Amino acid sequence: MSASVLLIYTGGTIGMLADPRTGALRPMDLAHLEEQVPELERVGVRLESIAFEEPIDSSDMRPADWIRISGIIGANYEKYDGFVVLHGSDTMAYTASALSFLLEGLSKPVILTGSQLPIGTIRTDAKENLITAIEIAAAKDEHGRAMVPEVAVYFEYRLLRGNRTVKVHAERFEAFRSPNWPALAEAGVRIKYDRSAILPHRSGPLKVHDRMDEHVAVVRLFPGIRGAWVRHALSMPDLRAVVLTTFGSGNGPTDPDFIAALREARDRGVILLNATQCVGGRVEQGRYITSQAFAQMGVVPCADMTVEAALTKAMFLLGQHTEASAVQRAMGEALCGEISRSRDCRGAFRPSERWPSG
Ligand code: ASP
């Protein structure tokens, strides 16, 4: 019997058409998308689909939408072998990270994909992304278990762990990287899976969580940042956590007023998290004098987590726990492959890999 895959269409460039009046791209419905890919009939997978009533540009995605997508997967979990989520690329890394936390104990593939050019355009990257994502969602190992039992992003011949992914290019087809974790698979003539990089199978039932706390913010440090700015940014009522995106291996200014502004927030109960602005590498608080104050005031180092993963993990944990100490502790624990415990992570600036330039 052929494998079954549920396609969940949320929007994004993949299904967009140009508005005849303004030329701006806007989301179209699923029927339009399916019409453009007659090849879907031939992939050898039993394919069914479900769509957001109003497909959206992913810049409009909110935590409630992540919960909606995980709810759809939960409600259909037993019926399908795998899931493909069609999604705009702009915030795909956030959604992939959020889904990885919301779908606890996942043992089936949830593959997010989209495209840089709409599916109806001649040079589109959408068809390959869609068809290969479906193949990966349907793929089984020699024991008949899902080949990729986790949330992943498929784009331009690479399958990446969802909660390790960052969007690195606004125009290139190769729009995503996962700097701190190797690709889970590469698609060429065959799809080659790197089994040592894929999460091990989990037994036990899927638990779909349905709470995310939105009282979390990201504050990007910059040279010259002032205490007054930090006080202003952190003055949002009911703020529970802030991801500080810091320099290099987790550093920031030593300016006493800047440090005092952070202490004031901490004393009000705001959880402070430290994630690096660098696309690869990890936070090591205390390595430089410029991160010692963070360590002293109890800022939680996010190690090699992406900002996307740190933010969505904080939202998720705050949705589950009321105790700040439980959230702080769990931020440092690996829930689903989003963080490497030590420097021996399979951190991946491989010499053969070049960052897209320009
Ligand atoms: N703005 C689009 C979106 O994220 C871009 C894309 O789909 O690639 O929905």
Side-chain angles (χ1 to χ4, degrees):
M1 218 179 62
S2 57
S4 58
V5 169
L6 181 65
L7 201 63
I8 303 168
Y9 175 52
T10 69
T13 300
I14 192 162
M16 289 188 186
L17 266 187
D19 185 301
R21 210 168 37 86
T22 62
L25 290 172
R26 61 182 168 81
M28 291 297 294
D29 62 21
L30 183 69
H32 156 77
L33 188 111
E34 284 177 341
E35 248 163 51
Q36 304 290 330
V37 207
E39 295 89 341
L40 286 179
E41 301 248 318
R42 291 193 277 129
V43 284
V45 169
R46 186 168 64 78
L47 199 60
E48 288 175 12
S49 49
I50 197 165
F52 275 18
E53 258 157 47
E54 291 211 3
I56 54 175
D57 186 296
S58 75
S59 299
D60 281 325
M61 277 278 162
R62 304 181 58 104
D65 297 306
W66 304 333
I67 290 167
R68 192 159 144 208
I69 299 167
S70 56
I72 294 172
I73 293 169
N76 291 283
Y77 196 63
E78 296 309 325
K79 282 192 259 161
Y80 298 92
D81 295 297
F83 300 85
V84 170
V85 181
L86 294 179
H87 192 289
S89 63
D90 289 349
T91 67
M92 188 181 285
Y94 292 87
T95 300
S97 300
L99 292 180
S100 74
F101 301 120
L102 288 168
L103 298 167
E104 186 183 335
L106 184 73
S107 60
K108 295 186 178 183
V110 172
I111 312 297
L112 286 90
T113 195
S115 65
Q116 294 280 61
L117 281 175
I119 204 149
T121 53
I122 294 185
R123 290 181 50 253
T124 187
D125 51 330
K127 285 192 184 186
E128 197 285 319
N129 285 350
L130 172 58
I131 290 168
T132 307
I134 293 170
E135 283 191 24
I136 293 170
K140 298 279 170 67
D141 66 11
E142 62 283 9
H143 307 291
R145 300 180 307 187
M147 196 62 142
V148 184
E150 59 174 296
V151 179
V153 165
Y154 180 76
F155 230 84
E156 189 65 3
Y157 306 113
R158 279 177 183 221
L159 184 72
L160 306 174
R161 172 162 302 154
N163 56 31
R164 293 286 193 155
T165 302
V166 283
K167 184 171 182 185
V168 294
H169 212 285
E171 289 165 25
R172 292 199 176 179
F173 289 157
E174 195 188 358
F176 291 94
R177 290 286 173 126
S178 71
N180 286 337
W181 197 253
L184 307 184
E186 305 226 357
V189 173
R190 288 195 191 81
I191 302 172
K192 273 206 213 146
Y193 294 91
D194 177 352
R195 290 188 180 207
S196 66
I198 297 173
L199 281 177
H201 275 269
R202 275 162 290 191
S203 50
L206 174 76
K207 179 161 184 206
V208 183
H209 294 274
D210 60 1
R211 279 209 308 271
M212 282 264 170
D213 190 325
E214 293 186 35
H215 296 97
V216 183
V218 177
V219 169
R220 184 179 167 97
L221 305 195
F222 53 89
I225 188 169
R226 302 210 173 185
W229 196 95
V230 174
R231 284 188 189 92
H232 177 73
L234 303 190
S235 65
M236 179 180 124
D238 304 325
L239 185 67
R240 292 186 71 196
V242 59
V243 181
L244 301 167
T245 67
T246 56
F247 309 131
S249 52
N251 308 313
T254 51
D255 167 30
D257 193 43
F258 166 77
I259 300 293
L262 291 179
R263 273 189 207 283
E264 287 158 25
R266 181 207 59 183
D267 293 346
R268 288 199 312 272
V270 177
I271 298 170
L272 303 174
L273 306 165
N274 183 348
T276 176
Q277 301 178 4
C278 296
V279 280
R282 62 193 291 123
V283 165
E284 283 180 78
Q285 282 184 172
R287 179 163 166 215
Y288 289 90
I289 200 113
T290 44
S291 63
Q292 275 178 358
F294 294 155
Q296 281 156 9
M297 74 173 95
V299 175
V300 181
C302 292
D304 63 347
M305 263 188 279
T306 62
V307 174
E308 291 85 339
L311 174 78
T312 54
K313 186 173 177 180
M315 288 178 166
F316 166 73
L317 291 172
L318 287 164
Q320 321 305 311
H321 304 281
T322 41
E323 284 283 300
S325 58
V327 173
Q328 281 162 320
R329 198 172 336 105
M331 277 306 294
E333 287 165 8
L335 303 183
C336 43
E338 76 283 7
I339 185 171
S340 311
R341 282 171 230 268
S342 64
R343 284 193 67 75
D344 64 71
C345 62
R346 300 177 58 192
F349 277 101
R350 281 176 275 176
S352 59
E353 282 190 352
R354 291 251 223 71
W355 290 92
S357 58

